[in-house]
Amino acid sequence: MTEQQSVPQQAAAGKAHGGLGGSFKITVFELENFQGKRYDLTRECPNLTEDRLEKVGSIQVEQGPWLGFECHDFRGERFVLEKGDYPRWDAWSNSHRSDSLLSLRPLHVDGPDHKLHLFENPGFGGRKMEIVDDDVPSLWAHGFQDRVASVRALNGTWVGYEYPGYRGRQFVFEKGEYGHWNEWGAGQPLVQSVRRVRDQKWHRRGCYPSS
């Protein structure tokens, strides 16, 4: 990882749900520990409780990654779900603020490489940190403060966290530009750790563990 003073001009990329990717399959269960009614998904679902489940108590991701949302229609707190088992809600919620998960969509990874630029000010201004093919459990440990007000995700898909050690609310950076923290669903410019989101299509050695 290195810091740079200038940023190559990057064409704005949309944050649509499309893009390269393989197959997707996830199973949601109404009760904890994979019990009760179940529902299999291979595409996005804006409302899991509509004629399907009263509540999501556990999840199994067979092919992913996926992005879960606290509320219907892809709103509220976000949860990255990579391949693996999630026996109860606190296995997917790093903030532990809510046990609600009401919508899901596939999370596409555009390729095997990862490159991310973090900026301390909105509009890609101020100090900059570049991260290439690495996970960073603490921005402070690499000399960068916790204030992240804008982001360029040049390659790959990333998830940022409020606190060191991949804790707190999750913020997803799909390939594209984010000129203000509101664009990634944050209420303030607070990011203290980041990691790459893995996809079995590109990363044969597996994904970040779900536990």
Side-chain angles (χ1 to χ4, degrees), residues 144-158:
F144 198 79
Q145 72 284 353
D146 59 358
R147 178 183 170 85
V148 176
S150 54
V151 171
R152 280 192 175 110
L154 283 77
N155 296 103
T157 299
W158 299 76

Side-chain angles (χ1 to χ4, degrees), residues 4-77:
Q4 300 178 353
Q5 297 303 314
S6 62
V7 183
Q9 192 67 29
Q10 172 74 10
K15 304 174 187 70
H17 299 174
L20 296 176
S23 301
F24 294 88
K25 184 177 180 181
I26 189 171
T27 302
V28 292
F29 297 83
E30 194 166 26
L31 303 177
E32 294 181 1
N33 298 312
F34 321 113
Q35 301 296 312
K37 290 175 61 177
R38 57 179 286 169
Y39 183 60
D40 295 323
L41 285 168
T42 57
R43 62 184 64 187
E44 68 178 36
C45 179
N47 188 351
L48 287 166
T49 59
E50 185 177 34
D51 299 325
R52 296 184 180 100
L53 302 172
E54 292 185 10
K55 183 180 176 65
V56 175
S58 51
I59 297 171
Q60 289 181 326
V61 179
E62 183 174 328
Q63 294 173 293
W66 290 75
L67 186 60
F69 296 82
E70 179 185 11
C71 304
H72 299 138
D73 301 314
F74 316 115
R75 296 178 294 106
E77 190 172 351

Side-chain angles (χ1 to χ4, degrees), residues 123-136:
F124 317 109
R127 294 185 62 216
K128 173 192 162 188
M129 181 176 185
E130 180 179 82
I131 306 169
V132 180
D133 291 327
D134 200 5
D135 298 332
V136 184

Side-chain angles (χ1 to χ4, degrees), residues 44 55 58 64 88 94 101 114 150 175 182 196 199 203-205:
E44 68 178 36
K55 183 180 176 65
S58 51
R88 49 175 279 124
N94 295 77
L101 193 154
H114 289 79
S150 54
K175 186 176 181 179
N182 289 342
R196 298 160 290 174
D199 186 332
H203 307 98
R204 300 300 182 185
R205 296 184 63 184

